[in-house]
Amino acid sequence: KAEIEARTITEDGQVFLQKAAQDGLETVWDRYQAQKPQCGFCELGLSCRNCSMGPCRIDPFGEGPQRGVCGADADIIVARNLGRMIAAGAASHSDHGRDLVEVLRKVGEGHAPGYTIRSEEKLKKVAAEFGIAADGKTPADLAVELAHAMEEEFGTRKKALTFLGRVPEKRRAIWDKLGITPRGIDRETSEMMHRTHMGVDNDWQSLLLHGLRNALSDGWGGSFIATEVSDILFGIPQPVPSEVNLGVLKENQVNIVLHGHNPIVSEMIYEAAQDPELLALASEKGAEGINLAGLCCTGNELLMRRGIPMAGNHLMTELALSTGLVDMMIVDYQCIMPALGEIATCYHTLMISTSDKAKFPHMAHHEFHPETAQSKARELVRMAVENYERRLPAKVLPAPNTPTRMMAGFSVEAILGALGGSPAPLIEAIKSGAVQGAVGVVGCNNPKIRQDFGHVTLTRHLIENDILVVDTGCAAVAHAKAGLKVPEAAALAGPGLQQVCKSLGIPPVLHMGSCVDNVRILDLAAALANALGTDISDLPLAAAAPEWYSEKAVSIACYAVASGIFTVLGTPPPIFGSPKIVKLLTEDIEGLLGASFAVEPDPEKAAARIEQHIRQKRKALGL
Ligand code: NFS
Ligand code: SF4
């Protein structure tokens, strides 16, 4: 029992960890235990296998080898490894963005039945940013032109990405001076892979600078495109009520769980699940309906736009299967543990992979393409409905707790809308001190940290101190489970923030979306800075990723800092093998970018660091 409680703070997590053990499942926590002790060289970033003269390791105690076979020292190896993490993260977000651009183009060309343009407003706005005049053009024409222009962003023919038009002047000047203005999205990632090949860039500072540029190509490029095109195709999120935790899986309904990141597949499943014919089939099979639930960021995308409930975050993905209630799990890509398929063999659950670039053991592969997505989605929902009667009653355990209520859908447009159309009231609230500042609490779960403890503890402290929290990704789901995303949670906030939340009817913790939607936070920060004629780094803002695990999170943290936002990480990145790099990233970089990283595993201490940082920024602004 104590062991289970040490793994997660969530009630449903604890119940289903027990159930999983009963069913003989091995979970992510068990596999983590089995890996211990993990490799100390790798933890410090001191191992390299970039070439076949290696693999090489640097002895952190200074007794064994201090250079790899090629002569690379600790600084070079740590910087190269970090660079490749950034490249992988940026590539993931950006390739996700590219897939959306493809759908946008095919919608315009009439080759994507079932998909439409849901937000002409955003289509026109973004097209204008790309220098495409809307006059006289149909939305379809505009979509094709914009898609072509966005495809260009991925290449190499630009001096700077188009969305940099939203970045404050002062910030742009800093990037130009440092030579880190991102050019093409793929170019920066490709260049990172080049630089980190044996015998190319062997200056750790120059490698790190390119790392920042690579991350910026994600934040102001690939992820930005992903979010904006998702809004064009599926609509701009607006505040919407929903529910969260494993209690959202219904005993008497067909449960389809959507896991992954890209809304391209899940939106089509959402449409298919409304089909009267399939609903009739469900009732024929004895089910009272077709219930969709989300996991991870595909879940967040559906939640933000359609109010679809969330079953859980990253570490709940295996436990969701152990309810025995999932009739089908459909995955696209990213953060989908390869263990899931085998776990599902213990139940009746149908596991479906959908992306040509993401296949998994023990999953049936049903590839989605824009041309056929609509019919494919119907086929899958039909299979799920037919699977309902194959549930294994002896293996079913409904969640004992009722789902927690939550509110999501806080796009920048929705937040500004709630404020009456401009950032002025928020700026006033910050000036008056009612709201001391704002912090983005984002990122994953990681079995190295008691699940959700890092997120929830940090966020509770921040709101108690009148700091508004905006969140995305698995952090957002953690906060929702803890009940922090209902307007009544304002009672947990300090007096100033409480007042602001009550007058607007909003929670003190605003759900801004999936992880690519971290760019909504950037966008809002830039809008505030622009409204004040200042730089993002002057504002009383911060970011935190208390339980991060993924390479994508590394890229996000780097573009946050490069954009001028102080960022605290809860789990240490593999850089501690190079004291010089640690010093640069946690101290000296402040002088270059007006922001730095901190690593603080204790969320209470992290809260104190952030509060101190916000006080300093306020003081510098004369507040
Ligand atoms: Ni972000 Fe979303 Fe979750 Fe982490 Fe994975 S689902 S993209 S990477 S684990 S927050
Ligand atoms: Fe070793 Fe250098 Fe090859 Fe890395 S690149 S494996 S340090 S020889």
Side-chain angles (χ1 to χ4, degrees):
K1 178 127 191 291
E3 199 184 310
I4 282 181
E5 281 176 13
R7 290 179 169 188
T8 176
I9 64 166
T10 62
E11 191 187 341
D12 57 345
Q14 291 174 5
V15 169
F16 286 98
L17 266 168
Q18 237 163 332
K19 167 74 160 52
Q22 247 170 44
D23 290 354
L25 303 184
E26 185 190 68
T27 65
V28 57
W29 287 277
D30 302 321
R31 295 188 297 271
Y32 171 58
Q33 280 305 323
Q35 283 292 335
K36 286 214 282 202
Q38 290 176 310
C39 172
F41 294 99
C42 293
E43 276 179 347
L44 295 171
L46 287 175
S47 51
C48 178
R49 46 175 181 71
N50 286 12
C51 90
S52 184
M53 297 190 285
C56 305
R57 310 182 294 191
I58 304 297
D59 180 0
F61 304 109
E63 286 154 16
Q66 294 301 297
R67 291 185 187 277
V69 177
C70 66
D73 62 11
D75 304 323
I76 295 172
I77 290 178
V78 168
R80 281 198 306 217
N81 289 340
L82 183 64
R84 287 197 169 195
M85 286 185 94
I86 296 168
S92 305
H93 288 142
S94 303
D95 203 39
H96 161 168
R98 186 196 337 261
D99 287 338
L100 283 152
V101 173
E102 186 195 2
V103 175
L104 180 67
R105 179 164 51 75
K106 291 197 171 159
V107 167
E109 293 167 349
H111 295 145
Y115 295 98
T116 58
I117 306 289
R118 289 274 179 94
S119 177
E120 279 186 40
E121 173 198 345
K122 189 154 257 191
L123 173 65
K124 285 191 189 138
K125 179 185 172 203
V126 175
E129 280 180 278
F130 278 78
I132 303 165
D135 41 286
K137 288 174 195 153
T138 64
D141 292 344
L142 216 47
V144 174
E145 261 192 75
L146 178 59
H148 284 150
M150 284 179 159
E151 281 163 357
E152 288 284 313
E153 294 281 295
F154 286 87
T156 61
R157 290 174 46 204
K158 303 221 158 182
K159 285 213 176 69
L161 299 175
T162 303
F163 283 119
L164 299 195
R166 297 197 197 180
V167 177
E169 284 299 326
K170 289 184 182 170
R171 185 68 13 198
R172 286 290 309 273
I174 290 173
W175 295 346
D176 284 342
K177 188 162 160 236
L178 289 173
I180 60 169
T181 298
R183 301 156 298 178
I185 296 167
D186 289 346
R187 174 176 186 173
E188 307 309 356
T189 292
S190 185
E191 185 172 316
M192 179 59 86
M193 298 313 284
H194 179 195
R195 284 183 187 233
T196 53
H197 187 280
M198 199 311 268
V200 184
D201 198 353
N202 289 290
D203 176 323
W204 59 274
Q205 285 155 311
S206 143
L207 278 164
L208 292 180
L209 281 173
H210 183 68
L212 296 174
R213 173 158 57 182
N214 195 174
L216 287 171
S217 80
D218 173 359
W220 294 94
S223 284
F224 220 103
I225 285 179
T227 290
E228 294 297 66
V229 176
S230 294
D231 282 0
I232 292 170
L233 290 171
F234 307 121
I236 301 172
Q238 291 298 327
V240 60
S242 190
E243 294 180 331
V244 63
N245 75 34
L246 290 183
V248 306
L249 300 174
K250 301 272 188 308
E251 248 188 302
N252 51 6
Q253 295 195 25
V254 177
N255 291 306
I256 301 178
V257 173
L258 296 143
H259 179 15
H261 283 76
N262 200 318
I264 293 175
V265 170
S266 47
E267 281 282 341
M268 278 296 119
I269 300 290
Y270 172 81
E271 296 294 334
Q274 325 292 320
D275 185 331
E277 197 187 310
L278 292 170
L279 287 166
L281 181 66
S283 89
E284 220 172 90
K285 301 281 173 193
E288 280 171 29
I290 302 174
N291 179 45
L292 302 184
L295 283 171
C296 292
C297 285
T298 275
N300 279 320
E301 299 274 354
L302 278 174
L303 166 69
M304 290 286 284
R305 297 195 181 83
R306 315 274 169 246
I308 294 297
M310 287 294 290
N313 45 6
H314 181 50
L315 289 188
M316 297 307 287
T317 57
E318 295 172 310
L319 299 184
L321 293 172
S322 75
T323 60
L325 285 171
V326 181
D327 299 302
M328 178 178 277
M329 183 183 282
I330 302 174
V331 309
D332 49 88
Y333 43 51
Q334 298 173 15
C335 302
I336 296 148
M337 287 191 252
L340 285 173
E342 192 173 343
I343 288 182
T345 61
C346 184
Y347 307 94
H348 78 301
T349 309
L350 291 173
M351 298 295 291
I352 309 289
S353 55
T354 56
S355 165
D356 57 348
K357 50 194 146 200
K359 299 185 179 178
F360 299 82
H362 301 285
M363 291 199 195
H365 192 63
H366 287 260
E367 216 159 283
F368 268 63
H369 295 282
E371 293 82 354
T372 53
Q374 193 175 37
S375 54
K376 195 77 201 169
R378 291 206 183 114
E379 179 191 333
L380 290 184
V381 173
R382 178 178 297 274
M383 283 164 62
V385 169
E386 280 165 357
N387 198 34
Y388 175 74
E389 35 185 30
R390 291 190 208 107
R391 276 195 199 162
L392 307 168
K395 291 260 179 84
V396 166
L397 178 68
N401 47 347
T402 50
T404 306
R405 286 185 306 115
M406 68 184 290
M407 213 171 155
F410 291 95
S411 57
V412 175
E413 290 83 347
I415 293 174
L416 294 182
L419 296 169
S422 97
L426 182 56
I427 292 171
E428 274 317 307
I430 293 173
K431 280 189 178 158
S432 78
V435 175
Q436 292 285 310
V439 176
V441 180
V442 307
C444 325
N445 288 143
N446 185 325
K448 293 178 177 174
I449 292 183
R450 192 177 176 208
Q451 190 202 6
D452 291 1
F453 177 75
H455 298 302
V456 173
T457 311
L458 171 64
T459 293
R460 278 178 176 272
H461 275 276
L462 294 175
I463 62 174
E464 269 167 27
N465 285 284
D466 286 327
I467 295 167
L468 175 70
V469 171
V470 293
D471 59 8
T472 59
C474 291
V477 181
H479 297 148
K481 282 185 273 179
L484 301 176
K485 298 174 93 75
V486 282
E488 300 89 293
L492 302 169
L497 179 59
Q498 196 172 125
Q499 196 52 45
V500 171
C501 290
K502 280 185 178 158
S503 70
L504 295 170
I506 58 170
V509 182
L510 301 181
H511 198 324
M512 293 192 76
S514 64
C515 279
V516 291
D517 291 339
N518 280 314
V519 307
R520 296 191 200 273
I521 302 178
L522 282 186
D523 199 16
L524 184 59
L528 290 174
N530 285 331
L532 288 164
T534 179
D535 192 357
I536 296 172
S537 59
D538 295 327
L539 304 175
L541 305 177
E547 305 179 28
W548 74 275
Y549 94 87
S550 90
E551 293 166 315
K552 292 179 287 172
V554 177
S555 178
I556 293 167
C558 289
Y559 73 62
V561 169
S563 297
I565 303 174
F566 171 61
T567 298
V568 185
L569 303 175
T571 41
I575 60 170
F576 284 84
S578 167
K580 282 188 203 153
I581 290 178
V582 172
K583 182 166 177 295
L584 178 79
L585 294 179
T586 59
E587 295 171 27
D588 304 344
I589 203 175
E590 173 81 38
L592 300 173
L593 291 167
S596 64
F597 291 93
V599 178
E600 181 47 73
D602 178 339
E604 302 204 9
K605 288 189 187 149
R609 289 283 297 268
I610 289 172
E611 284 151 22
Q612 185 200 10
H613 167 82
I614 284 180
R615 275 196 299 274
Q616 273 170 7
K617 289 290 168 190
R618 292 184 62 85
K619 209 171 150 208
L621 285 168
L623 298 176

